Amino acid sequence: MTTEPGGGPAGPLPLVMAPGMLCDADLWSEVVFPEGHPVRHVALTEQDVGAMAEDLLASVTGPFVAVGLSLGAIVAFEALRRAPERFHGLCVMSTNAGAPRPEQYAAWRAMDELIDDGRFPDVVEQTLPGMFPVSRPPGGSAERYRRMAYAVGPEAARAQLAAQATRQDASGALRTARCPTVVLSGERDALCPPEFHRVIARAVPGAELREVPGAGHLLPWQNPTAVSTALRDLLAQVRKAPPACPHPATPAVRAARPGAHSPLVTCPHVPAPHTHP
């Protein structure tokens, strides 16, 4: 977890980056961040989503802009539930705001058992096809994912699997959002298809949904220009927006801890079974 404070009411808002499962800060390495804004990377190493959300909230002081992919976006949803007044901007991608489904619990248990048996490489190989627009990505892309997953390691992977099972439906939290929000969806994301993101965009007041042609789950690798543009546009909206505040009927609650670049298209505002998110 990052602990260095940054930004605040009188300074540039920090961007708090939350990666997906088996991902680390390398996920964002090709993204061009808006100039002048501190960037904080949060590692997802706790065993429940609530504790991960507390890590995200503790990574900076004061207001911030949250950016999350997959599990990282789910963590941002939980942080939003706990402290909506601190969110001055939100960008989520490649994710699912729904509660876990029975087949997901079973898949997560099976993966955890494999890791417990010393077969973490098998889990990496199981998850690899869903990260890309095609089930057999080019060798260089596959190796890059393997390197990142092995850098995260089996211990953190088991924590992330446990955390996945503690997720809740985030619809209520999303309706409390009062900050500029951009939802990014890969057109060819088999893990979290565009339908998931339409649900999220409908729930967040005023959210903008952008579908990225040809992209799969790891959007920041497959189209870093799309992500960079979305962040630049989001920060421009944040600068024009009034300060974020919680919904008057929903006070903030702090729970105890237990390659080629395609152009963007914007879409207007169900699901098939997947292992995660």
Side-chain angles (χ1 to χ4, degrees):
M1 180 191 76
T2 57
T3 56
E4 182 184 355
L13 286 167
L15 301 175
V16 179
M17 314 299 296
M21 184 173 166
L22 294 181
C23 299
D24 60 17
D26 185 52
L27 178 69
W28 314 105
S29 60
E30 296 179 41
V31 173
V32 178
F33 294 107
E35 188 175 354
H37 292 268
V39 178
R40 306 290 181 247
H41 295 281
V42 180
L44 305 181
T45 57
E46 300 289 348
Q47 295 187 11
D48 68 86
V49 167
M52 289 178 173
E54 290 296 329
D55 279 355
L56 186 153
L57 292 169
S59 68
V60 292
T61 57
F64 59 89
V65 173
V67 184
L69 178 143
S70 198
L71 177 58
I74 291 166
V75 172
F77 298 154
E78 179 59 27
L80 178 67
R81 187 195 312 274
R82 294 167 182 240
E85 75 286 351
R86 292 186 60 195
F87 279 71
H88 283 214
L90 176 63
C91 179
V92 295
M93 63 196 81
S94 309
T95 194
N96 178 11
R101 302 182 297 280
E103 66 272 19
Q104 290 180 301
Y105 287 117
W108 296 330
R109 285 193 299 269
M111 287 183 185
D112 183 71
E113 290 170 4
L114 285 174
I115 298 174
D116 191 43
D117 288 342
R119 297 172 61 188
F120 178 59
D122 290 354
V123 171
V124 175
E125 294 307 309
Q126 282 184 19
T127 59
L128 189 152
M131 299 294 111
F132 298 93
V134 293
S135 59
R136 294 187 178 183
S141 298
E143 283 305 310
R144 185 182 182 188
Y145 174 70
R146 291 185 183 106
R147 285 195 302 271
M148 183 170 66
Y150 289 134
V152 172
E155 183 177 348
R158 294 191 77 182
Q160 291 168 356
L161 288 166
Q164 290 274 21
T166 69
R167 286 165 33 196
Q168 304 177 47
D169 185 284
S171 300
L174 293 173
R175 287 192 288 269
T176 72
R178 294 297 181 269
C179 60
T181 299
V182 176
V183 181
L184 292 176
S185 170
E187 178 193 30
R188 301 185 65 182
D189 187 345
L191 200 59
C192 294
E195 290 84 357
F196 287 15
H197 301 84
R198 294 179 190 128
V199 171
I200 295 168
R202 284 197 298 267
V204 179
E208 179 185 4
L209 175 62
R210 298 185 178 190
E211 186 174 302
V212 184
H217 194 66
L218 295 183
L219 265 174
W221 282 4
Q222 292 150 24
N223 198 323
T225 296
V227 178
S228 303
T229 299
L231 294 182
R232 184 189 66 221
D233 294 348
L234 177 63
L235 266 294
Q237 291 182 56
V238 170
R239 285 190 290 269
K240 297 175 184 177
C245 60
H247 192 287
T250 312
V253 176
R254 302 300 297 272
R257 287 179 57 160
H261 305 327
S262 304
L264 282 153
V265 297
T266 302
C267 299
H269 301 320
V270 232
H274 302 283
T275 56
H276 71 276

